[in-house]
């Protein structure tokens, strides 16, 4: 319940949805500004959900879809290879 894979985050981005993630599941180089809200507890989750109205969620989702549209497998593969020190 407290984990996240980058694949599921990218799927959410590509579907144009806002990301609501636990603080300890931050994903490197995925948006952690306008398109994502982080929470640190169950109470924080409730607060985060309560603070987001439909207009804000739609705007966050639109932002995330634009980010997803810029992703491509060549760049992702290069980043993975670099992370694993593969020339």
């Amino acid at each position: 319940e407290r984990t996240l894979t980058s694949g599921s985050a990218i799927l959410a981005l590509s579907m144009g949805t806002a990301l609501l993630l636990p603080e300890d599941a931050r994903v490197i180089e995925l948006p952690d500004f306008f398109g994502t809200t982080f929470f640190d507890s169950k109470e924080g989750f409730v607060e985060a959900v309560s603070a987001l109205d439909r207009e804000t969620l739609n705007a966050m989702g639109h932002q995330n879809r634009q980010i997803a549209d810029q992703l491509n497998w060549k760049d992702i593969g290069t980043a993975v290879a670099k992370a694993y020190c593969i020339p």
Side-chain angles (χ1 to χ4, degrees):
E1 78 184 31
R2 305 274 309 164
T3 62
L4 172 81
T5 65
S6 59
S8 62
I10 291 170
L11 176 61
L13 292 176
S14 71
M15 294 180 71
T17 60
L19 295 175
L20 184 58
L21 305 173
E23 185 67 40
D24 58 356
R26 286 185 181 263
V27 178
I28 296 172
E29 294 187 35
L30 284 180
D32 64 348
F33 42 96
F34 181 72
T36 306
T37 297
F38 291 94
F39 61 91
D40 60 0
S41 64
K42 288 181 182 179
E43 294 80 16
F45 174 79
V46 172
E47 288 176 25
V49 170
S50 299
L52 296 169
D53 59 38
R54 180 152 312 274
E55 184 177 331
T56 302
L57 288 170
N58 287 337
M60 291 170 71
H62 180 73
Q63 170 75 17
N64 286 344
R65 178 57 200 227
Q66 289 180 325
I67 291 168
D69 287 344
Q70 295 174 13
L71 297 174
N72 67 68
W73 286 113
K74 181 179 180 199
D75 291 343
I76 292 169
T78 300
V80 169
K82 186 176 180 180
Y84 286 100
C85 301
I86 301 170

